[in-house]
């Protein structure tokens, strides 16, 4: 087991295709990071860096009648650009669909919807994780 853990520690993830050549953030991604961490979207409350999850259970209104569990553990957002669907049941097919539908920042924190530019920048940032 120790050998396996040591081996896994040597593996490097492939580079994120949404990062700059040097691994940095584009200007849109930097603006999106500010939206992510700011009060408007409030994403960092449940998805804080460095793991982009807090390991706690939250009730965010995405459950359904008859669910066994009340609330969900927010998944890490690292590598979110490479996921085919979103939410615990896959009902959101795109990041935009997620953020304008059942997991809208406005629904979660009641601070108003994101502007079109804020949404585009936030999605760019999420893809960079």
């Amino acid at each position: 087991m120790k050998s396996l853990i040591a081996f896994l520690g040597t593996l490097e993830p492939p580079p994120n295709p949404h990062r700059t050549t040097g691994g940095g953030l584009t200007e849109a991604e930097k603006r999106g990071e500010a939206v992510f961490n700011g009060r408007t979207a409030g994403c960092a409350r449940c998805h804080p860096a460095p793991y982009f999850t807090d390991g706690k259970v939250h009730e965010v209104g995405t459950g359904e009648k008859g669910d066994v569990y009340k609330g969900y553990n927010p998944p890490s957002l690292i590598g979110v650009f490479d996921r085919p669907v979103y939410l615990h049941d896959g009902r959101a097919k795109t990041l935009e669909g997620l953020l304008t539908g059942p997991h809208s920042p406005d629904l979660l924190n009641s601070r108003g919807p994101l502007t079109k530019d804020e949404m585009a920048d936030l999605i760019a940032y999420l893809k960079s994780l």
Side-chain angles (χ1 to χ4, degrees):
M1 182 60 111
K2 288 182 182 179
S3 297
L4 178 59
I5 292 171
F7 170 72
L8 291 174
T10 68
L11 299 178
E12 291 289 325
N16 184 317
H18 299 279
R19 290 280 183 135
T20 65
T21 304
L25 299 177
T26 66
E27 290 305 312
E29 291 164 353
K30 289 176 186 175
R31 291 189 304 269
E33 181 178 26
V35 173
F36 181 91
N37 289 314
R39 291 183 40 85
T40 306
C43 306
R45 187 181 68 212
C46 299
H47 298 277
Y51 302 110
F52 296 93
T53 183
D54 66 3
K56 299 175 184 174
V57 174
H58 298 273
E59 176 54 60
V60 294
T62 58
E64 296 179 2
K65 187 176 180 178
D67 280 351
V68 176
Y69 302 105
K70 299 299 177 203
Y72 297 93
N73 181 339
S76 171
L77 299 179
I78 296 171
V80 74
F81 72 89
D82 199 25
R83 296 189 187 148
V85 294
Y86 304 93
L87 292 177
H88 66 282
D89 57 2
R91 76 178 94 159
K93 306 301 182 211
T94 65
L95 286 171
E96 184 174 8
L98 171 77
L99 295 169
T100 58
H103 204 65
S104 159
D106 184 37
L107 291 176
L108 297 175
N109 62 33
S110 302
R111 291 193 182 98
L114 299 178
T115 68
K116 185 177 179 178
D117 289 339
E118 288 172 325
M119 181 67 68
D121 291 342
L122 177 58
I123 289 171
Y125 175 65
L126 291 172
K127 289 180 178 180
S128 77
L129 299 177

